[in-house]
Structures are given as C-alpha cells and as structure tokens.
Amino acid sequence: MTYTVLSNDQVNSILEGLTVDELDEFRHVLASSLHEFSTGVPALEEAFQQPERISTLHPETMARTLYMPSCAPCGMGCKVISLTSTEASQDSRVTQISPTGVLNLFRPDGSPLGIVNATALTAFRTALASTCLLERRNHVKTLTVFGSGLQAYWHIRLALMIRGSTIKHVHVINHRWSDKATGILKRFASIPPEIKRREGWSDTKFGLLIPAFHEYRRLIKDQIRDADVIYCCTASQKDLFDGSILTSHEGRKKGRLIIAVGSYTPEMRELPNDLIQLAVKREDKPHRHFHKHAVEGGVIVVDNIRGVLKEAGEIIAANIGPHQLVELGELVMLHRLAIEESDGFSSSQASFSSDMDKLDIHGRMSSMSTVYGSGSNASDPPTSPTGSVDSEGRRSSSFFHSRKNSSTSLDKEKRKSEDHLCRWLRDGTVVYKSVGLGLMDLVVGTHLIEVANEKNVGTRIEGF
C-alpha cells in the first residue's frame, strides 16, 4: 500500500494548474457524492455517515481544535483543524492562530491512504461546491466579493476558470486596508499571462474597496447592484451590507447568485435578515400592484440542512425552518436535467421526460414545490423538503424516488414547473449558504490524491 503526503504548496500547485476538464472532473466527483448523500440512494445510504464534529481546547495556547470525521463509499476521513477559540480571539494577550490543519484519508478497508494539508484544500472544496450553482448562470459578468482570504481567492479563481471569458469586473470589498487585501489582487496579477489567455480573462478588471474610501456608501451600493454573483467570505458578526440594496423594487429587478460561506457559528452573520426573508418568501397570493422582478425560488440552498440550522448565524437569527431550505445535493441532478432540456437536447427529450417523471415533484408538500412554482397553501403545516434529518445528517426520505406508474410525456403543468426551476437557477435570485461538510473534504481530498499520483506530485511512502 502506498501512502501519499501533500504539503500546502503541492496542493496549490495542483489546483492552480487544473485544466477546465480536470476541474469538471473534480466538480463531478463532488456533485455526485452530494447528490447521493442528500437523496439517500438506497444502495449507498449506509456508506454515507457524517457524525457531528467534536473539539478540544488547549488551556495554554487557547487553541480550539476541531475533529470532523466522515465516511463515504470512497473511504473514510477525518479533518483536524486548529484555530484561536472565539472566546480568546478578542484577548490581546493571546497569540492568534490562523486556521491550520490536515486531512487524514483512509481506504474503504481502513488502510491509510494519505495525509493532505487542509489550508488550500478547505477553501477549494467550498468554492467547488459553489460552482455547481455558478456553472450555468446565464449572466456572469461582474463579481462582487466580500473578504480577501483564501475562501474569497478560490471562489474568484474557480469562477475565472469556468467563466473567465464572460467576467469583466471583479470587485473586492474588505473591512480595512491590509496586506491580505492587497495580496489577493497581487496573487491574481501574478498568474502567468498564458493561463489568463487560456481561461479568457486577460482583460478582466480588478478593484479593491474599503470603508475609508471617498463615497464608500455609494460605491458599495453600486457594486452590489451591478453584481451578477455576490460572494460573502468573511467571519463577520454583523451584516455585510444594507439589505434594502437588494430587497427594494430596484434591487429585485436583476437576478443574482448570492453565496455566503464565511460565517460558521451562531454568533456570525453575513447576509441581512430582510434578504433572508425575501429569499424564503412564498408568493401564494396575487398582488394588486405588479412590480417586475427576477425569478425567486422561495427557498435557500444549503450544503446540509442539519449543519446550517445549528451553525449559520443568519439562518438561526431569521428563524428559518428546514421546510425553507433545500440541499445543494438535491439540486445538482435537477439542474443538469433542466439544463439539458433548455439547451435543446431534443435527442434526449424522451430520456429527460422519463427521468423527470421519476422525480416525485408534486407528490408531497415541500420546499421543492415552491422551487417548481407551485407553492403550497400558507395554512399547510411545514415539512422538511426531504423528510426528517437523521443522526448522521442524512435525510430519512428522498425527493428523488421513482413512481410505480411513470409516464414518458410531460403534461403542461409539469412543463411549466420545470421551466420555473430552470429560470430560477439560471436567471433568478438564488441564495446559497454553506457551513462546510466533512464529506466534501473526504471526496475532494481522495480525488486530489489520485490526481497527485498521476502527476507525480507529493511524497509517496511504499509499504506504509
């Protein structure tokens, strides 16, 4: 058995050099696992296990160490990350510890597979999940990014890899001027010109905005309104912007993909409450006054419902329930089917129709019915979009299950529902909240070791 060791520099060298096809393979591996985890594929359900993380606190250094185990068909893993505890982060006497750690990986039989520095990997896998929603957005011309750390860097970097030819402006907004803030711009500037040309963003303009700048209030409003994609990548404990910028009639005219990945404790928050409430609002009754605005789904997309309800500060503060959330793993398959149909794949129309018939869209009242433009009556009791969440963070029942008597034709109502889903994911206002999932580390880390071995990168120990 071979044991592989990858340092952070080696991880970065692999990830920075990925081709579009190699990045697509990473995304496919992650999307497939998230889909299987969220929807409870019977043959694989027992293989997916996501225990809650535990932590220790060192009394001298005040280092909080998190242990995040996971299990999947590809094997087992446990990420160990240390950082300054929240309690000690405000104490000037305590030496601050930047998040640092490793991912331990094991084969299905329990034999050690490898160890990977988790610094770049964690940011990359989070951004990789976000690209599942980004990849087929109709308009990705302007990115507005809050934060200047690794999460911000990799979200921008992957967006440029897959949509570089359409991205013209990248606005980075930071709470203060710092070496880190200027460093993210320098890092993009240092990427070799041949890579920029290959990915199509040689002429993309980058900018940095901080509160000390003249006319900051006007500029931040303009940069948020202009954005096609908004990335929130900060450990903020207060809203990053005034929600009315996006919830006013003017702000709702344009559809945006809004991704929040920075806050991960109940005390933290990035998204304003009025934006959260708008995202989950169900349009059950017609309005007397019609205001044209982008398609809204009536739900918030999350990486895992259990984790978000426990750890996402803005979701907790807004009293959002599980019936108002839908997991990314549920949407990745729906998105693929909708894209194939809307792209005019006529040769696969029969297959598409058959596949959609297997999805019991209208068979139960859930948040997914809202996504499909058929919101339930407001008086109906709320239910989780895919049943209850068990002790492993999985769903006890799935949105994806076959009906016994499926039809190969799409009736008018179903066609309308599928069109609504496609419009929402492509052109509407989509809010995605992620707090992280050990499964992401496991499947992406395992695939990374495979790629590293193919590229002869890293240290390999035979007979470990």
Side-chain angles (χ1 to χ4, degrees):
M1 293 290 186
T2 302
Y3 188 77
T4 302
V5 180
L6 293 176
S7 68
N8 194 53
D9 286 343
Q10 291 167 335
V11 171
N12 270 309
S13 69
I14 294 172
L15 300 181
E16 288 284 6
L18 292 176
T19 65
V20 173
D21 288 342
E22 289 171 334
L23 179 60
D24 280 342
E25 183 62 26
F26 267 98
R27 186 169 61 233
H28 172 73
V29 167
L30 178 59
S32 297
S33 294
L34 289 175
H35 169 64
E36 292 163 359
F37 174 78
S38 290
T39 60
V41 177
L44 301 173
E45 191 168 4
E46 291 185 359
F48 286 100
Q49 299 170 43
Q50 187 62 61
E52 292 189 12
R53 69 187 183 194
I54 61 173
S55 67
T56 58
L57 178 65
H58 195 283
E60 294 181 9
T61 64
M62 297 303 291
R64 174 76 66 183
T65 301
L66 308 175
Y67 307 85
M68 294 162 276
S70 58
C71 178
C74 65
M76 293 78 73
C78 184
K79 187 166 73 172
V80 182
I81 297 288
S82 294
L83 68 165
T84 302
S85 66
T86 304
E87 301 82 3
S89 60
Q90 306 300 323
D91 190 340
S92 59
R93 298 169 298 176
V94 176
T95 302
Q96 301 298 300
I97 303 171
S98 298
T100 182
V102 297
L103 172 63
N104 297 284
L105 295 167
F106 304 86
R107 298 178 180 87
D109 64 0
S111 60
L113 174 65
I115 186 169
V116 182
N117 186 291
T119 304
L121 175 64
T122 299
F124 172 81
R125 59 82 157 151
T126 306
L128 187 66
S130 299
T131 64
C132 293
L133 294 171
L134 174 75
E135 62 173 326
R136 289 292 184 151
R137 292 290 293 182
N138 254 345
H139 302 286
V140 184
K141 182 179 179 181
T142 301
L143 309 182
T144 294
V145 186
F146 288 88
S148 57
L150 285 177
Q151 290 285 5
Y153 174 79
W154 278 107
H155 274 82
I156 299 171
R157 186 71 190 90
L158 295 193
L160 292 171
M161 282 186 183
I162 65 175
R163 298 297 296 270
S165 61
T166 70
I167 297 173
K168 305 304 178 186
H169 301 281
V170 178
H171 303 300
V172 177
I173 302 174
N174 206 52
H175 68 286
R176 63 184 176 88
W177 187 269
S178 66
D179 290 340
K180 180 187 288 187
T182 56
I184 189 173
L185 301 186
K186 291 178 181 178
R187 187 168 179 181
F188 282 109
S190 67
I191 292 176
E194 59 270 21
I195 293 180
K196 294 179 182 179
R197 285 193 296 269
R198 183 185 74 195
E199 296 173 356
W201 54 278
S202 296
D203 298 324
T204 299
K205 306 298 182 184
F206 291 77
L208 175 63
L209 178 65
I210 62 172
F213 283 6
H214 182 58
E215 293 192 322
Y216 172 77
R217 290 183 179 274
R218 179 186 65 81
L219 290 171
I220 191 173
K221 180 178 179 180
D222 290 347
Q223 292 185 7
I224 291 173
R225 284 269 178 89
D226 290 344
D228 299 296
V229 183
I230 299 173
Y231 292 121
C232 300
C233 309
T234 78
S236 176
Q237 294 193 2
K238 61 181 181 179
D239 300 346
L240 294 178
F241 54 89
D242 181 355
S244 65
I245 296 174
L246 297 180
T247 59
S248 65
H249 294 311
E250 187 67 28
R252 294 175 68 187
K253 287 182 179 179
K254 177 178 180 177
R256 299 172 184 85
L257 174 60
I258 303 167
I259 293 176
V261 301
S263 59
Y264 55 89
T265 71
E267 297 76 30
M268 297 178 181
R269 64 196 61 202
E270 298 178 292
L271 301 179
N273 182 69
D274 44 353
L275 177 61
I276 296 290
Q277 297 298 338
L278 177 64
V280 299
K281 183 179 180 181
R282 296 190 177 194
E283 298 289 354
D284 294 320
K285 298 179 181 179
H287 295 282
R288 177 176 296 179
H289 301 289
F290 176 75
H291 298 280
K292 184 178 181 181
H293 57 74
V295 180
E296 293 161 354
V299 293
I300 294 172
V301 185
V302 299
D303 54 357
N304 72 104
I305 288 179
R306 186 182 184 88
V308 165
L309 290 176
K310 183 178 180 180
E311 299 171 349
E314 53 265 86
I315 300 298
I316 296 170
N319 293 316
I320 300 300
H323 61 289
Q324 297 168 302
L325 307 174
V326 60
E327 288 188 345
L328 178 63
E330 289 190 278
L331 287 179
V332 288
M333 179 62 71
L334 291 172
H335 194 185
R336 180 183 67 80
L337 293 171
I339 293 304
E340 289 179 358
E341 172 68 3
S342 62
D343 280 347
F345 287 9
S346 57
S347 62
S348 63
Q349 184 166 337
S351 174
F352 174 87
S353 302
S354 178
D355 285 342
M356 291 304 294
D357 266 329
K358 293 177 183 178
L359 308 183
D360 190 4
I361 298 167
H362 308 287
R364 59 182 176 79
M365 196 282 290
S366 72
S367 60
M368 289 306 299
S369 66
T370 305
V371 175
Y372 271 83
S374 54
S376 60
N377 188 288
S379 63
D380 291 338
T383 61
S384 173
T386 53
S388 61
V389 183
D390 67 15
S391 60
E392 303 293 346
R394 295 193 308 267
R395 308 300 189 77
S396 61
S397 63
S398 171
F399 175 75
F400 293 84
H401 60 275
S402 300
R403 293 184 297 185
K404 293 182 179 179
N405 299 312
S406 63
S407 170
T408 58
S409 64
L410 291 172
D411 59 28
K412 187 176 181 180
E413 180 182 353
K414 288 181 67 178
R415 171 74 66 176
K416 182 178 179 181
S417 297
E418 289 144 17
D419 287 347
H420 182 274
L421 169 70
C422 185
R423 290 198 310 273
W424 177 56
L425 291 175
R426 279 194 157 189
D427 302 305
T429 296
V430 179
V431 176
Y432 171 58
K433 176 62 191 176
S434 170
V435 294
L437 189 64
L439 174 65
M440 296 178 178
D441 300 303
L442 172 58
V443 297
V444 175
T446 299
H447 187 66
L448 178 64
I449 285 184
E450 293 178 9
V451 173
N453 289 336
E454 291 172 0
K455 295 177 179 288
N456 197 30
V457 176
T459 301
R460 282 176 294 282
I461 305 173
E462 301 294 339
F464 183 82

